[in-house]
Amino acid sequence: MLKRKNSQKSHHRWKRKLFAMIFLGFCVGILIFLQAQYFTRIRMFARLSPPFVQTPKIAFMFIARNRLPLDMVWDAFFQEDKENKFSIYVHSRPGFLLNKATTRSTYFLDRQVNDSIQVDWGAASMLQAERILLKNALVDPFNERFVFLSDSCIPLYNFSYTYDYIMSSSTSFVDSFADTKEGRYNPKMHPLIPVQNWRKGSQWVVLIRKHAGVVVKDDTRRSLPEFWRDQPFPSDASKEHNCIPDEHYVQTLLAQEGLEGELTRRSLTHSSWDLSSAKDPKRRGWHPVTYKLSDATPMLIQSIKDIDNIYFETEYRREWCTSKGKPSTCFLFARKFTRPAALRLLNMSALGVSRQHHK
């Protein structure tokens, strides 16, 4: 009898152990199944949702005296971007701050560079200001294009068109042509700068990151020589500024570095230099025409947008403007506009942007 009871107890213990083992195996199996399902879903979501990639940005770099008088025009322009595709840098006189008292646009608050210098027109300090802006903008690794703008520039199109136009090209846009006018090239520049590399053009360039780095790293040469400053001022005042550094520096530097093949040799910023027909004597001189309130009409903007080619007399070269391989307008920006003129164009929606309430 005792043996039968012991045998039954042993049998029950064995059944409990077997049940426990089966239950444990079932739990382990469920755990393995759920874990496999979890990792399968993780891999599936990884395939469906690629890792976040920062969109390449355009660095808009403004050279200003103090405040930006056209800040609200640019405010309307930047409002269109919802993907963080731009950066802003402003070079103003030392000590000037862009705060709520000096700008109405939140886009420009505290956007001035902290290492600015005093800039004089026609002097090498302009080159230094450009290099300071580039140095600051290059810190952001997502800035891939670098646009120089003056405080009197306006955008001619909305942000998306401007961004696509600039980013679709792998080249820099640098107005650059051989300068053959007598007195422009000084033989003292040779051999540092041979005459065949001497170029002239607008300082309002758009650079790819590679070329921006070349400009910032250029410490082997003096700022393009202002040899005319070592000489007495000429009796003919029209020849006083016969070697303006900012009209030669970037163009000549990139030619010296053998990079002209990587350029679209035209500017994206329109300036009116046809002064021969200007009736107002004050509009004649070394500066482009300034557009005032009475000049600001949709017809003016359309006439600039209609320009589709540029002729370079010294090289007998006509540059037909293209974008993405198709004929296009030549200019994305224009200068020089007064504040009343620019605001009038904004209110008339002549620039492809409209003023909105900016939160």
Side-chain angles (χ1 to χ4, degrees), residues 10 111 113 131 141 260 271 290 299:
S10 177
R111 296 314 306 159
V113 295
R131 288 158 61 97
E260 282 193 310
S271 300
T290 297
M299 289 76 75

Side-chain angles (χ1 to χ4, degrees), residues 121-168:
W121 176 71
S125 54
M126 180 66 77
L127 306 182
Q128 192 174 346
E130 293 175 357
R131 288 158 61 97
I132 289 171
L133 282 168
L134 284 174
K135 180 188 70 174
N136 280 273
L138 280 167
V139 172
D140 187 338
F142 299 112
N143 286 334
E144 294 195 6
R145 299 293 186 276
F146 303 80
V147 180
F148 281 109
L149 298 161
S150 76
D151 54 11
S152 67
C153 280
I154 61 171
L156 297 174
Y157 297 90
N158 61 26
F159 182 88
S160 60
Y161 180 86
T162 303
Y163 181 89
D164 290 342
Y165 192 114
I166 292 175
M167 296 303 298
S168 66

Side-chain angles (χ1 to χ4, degrees), residues 177-343:
F177 53 89
D179 186 7
T180 58
K181 288 186 178 180
E182 184 178 355
R184 288 283 187 177
Y185 178 81
N186 192 306
K188 291 182 181 178
M189 298 178 187
H190 187 82
L192 188 66
I193 304 171
V195 66
Q196 62 267 25
N197 288 340
W198 182 240
R199 300 287 186 271
K200 187 176 184 291
S202 168
Q203 76 180 98
W204 310 111
V205 301
V206 177
L207 300 177
I208 61 174
R209 191 172 181 90
K210 172 185 175 181
H211 297 161
V214 169
V215 174
V216 169
K217 293 175 183 176
D218 176 41
D219 56 2
T220 59
R221 304 178 181 89
R222 292 172 289 177
S223 296
L224 267 184
E226 298 176 88
F227 291 113
W228 58 276
R229 289 194 184 277
D230 298 330
Q231 304 168 3
F233 285 108
S235 56
D236 183 355
S238 67
K239 298 183 185 226
E240 180 176 334
H241 291 280
N242 67 339
C243 183
I244 302 174
D246 52 37
E247 293 182 347
H248 296 275
Y249 177 62
V250 172
Q251 291 81 357
T252 301
L253 173 62
L254 296 179
Q256 287 277 94
E257 296 293 329
L259 298 172
E260 282 193 310
E262 300 176 7
L263 307 180
T264 296
R265 293 174 61 194
R266 60 180 176 87
S267 177
L268 296 183
T269 300
H270 178 268
S271 300
S272 179
W273 292 97
D274 185 13
L275 306 178
S276 59
S277 59
K279 295 180 180 179
D280 184 354
K282 294 181 180 179
R283 290 193 169 197
R284 298 175 192 153
W286 286 98
H287 296 283
V289 169
T290 297
Y291 294 111
K292 302 177 182 178
L293 180 65
S294 59
D295 302 315
T297 65
M299 289 76 75
L300 169 65
I301 299 303
Q302 191 58 50
S303 69
I304 298 174
K305 289 182 175 181
D306 286 342
I307 298 173
D308 61 0
N309 72 92
I310 305 169
Y311 183 68
F312 297 89
E313 293 183 6
T314 61
E315 298 180 344
Y316 306 102
R317 170 171 62 95
R318 186 174 299 278
E319 189 82 25
W320 290 94
C321 302
T322 61
S323 176
K324 299 180 181 178
K326 298 178 180 179
S328 71
T329 182
C330 292
F331 301 109
L332 299 179
F333 315 102
R335 58 188 301 265
K336 302 173 58 175
F337 286 82
T338 62
R339 180 180 176 86
L343 291 179

Side-chain angles (χ1 to χ4, degrees), residues 71-128:
D71 54 356
M72 295 312 296
V73 176
W74 288 99
D75 186 276
F77 174 78
F78 290 126
Q79 279 187 49
E80 186 195 348
D81 174 53
K82 308 300 181 186
E83 301 177 37
N84 189 33
K85 295 193 290 189
F86 68 89
S87 302
I88 296 174
Y89 303 85
V90 181
H91 185 286
S92 295
R93 64 172 174 79
F96 179 81
L97 298 177
L98 284 164
N99 52 35
K100 291 182 178 180
T102 55
T103 179
R104 292 188 297 156
S105 171
T106 57
Y107 290 112
F108 291 101
L109 291 175
D110 301 319
R111 296 314 306 159
Q112 75 284 341
V113 295
N114 296 323
D115 50 350
S116 64
I117 61 169
Q118 187 63 45
V119 174
D120 297 315
W121 176 71
S125 54
M126 180 66 77
L127 306 182
Q128 192 174 346

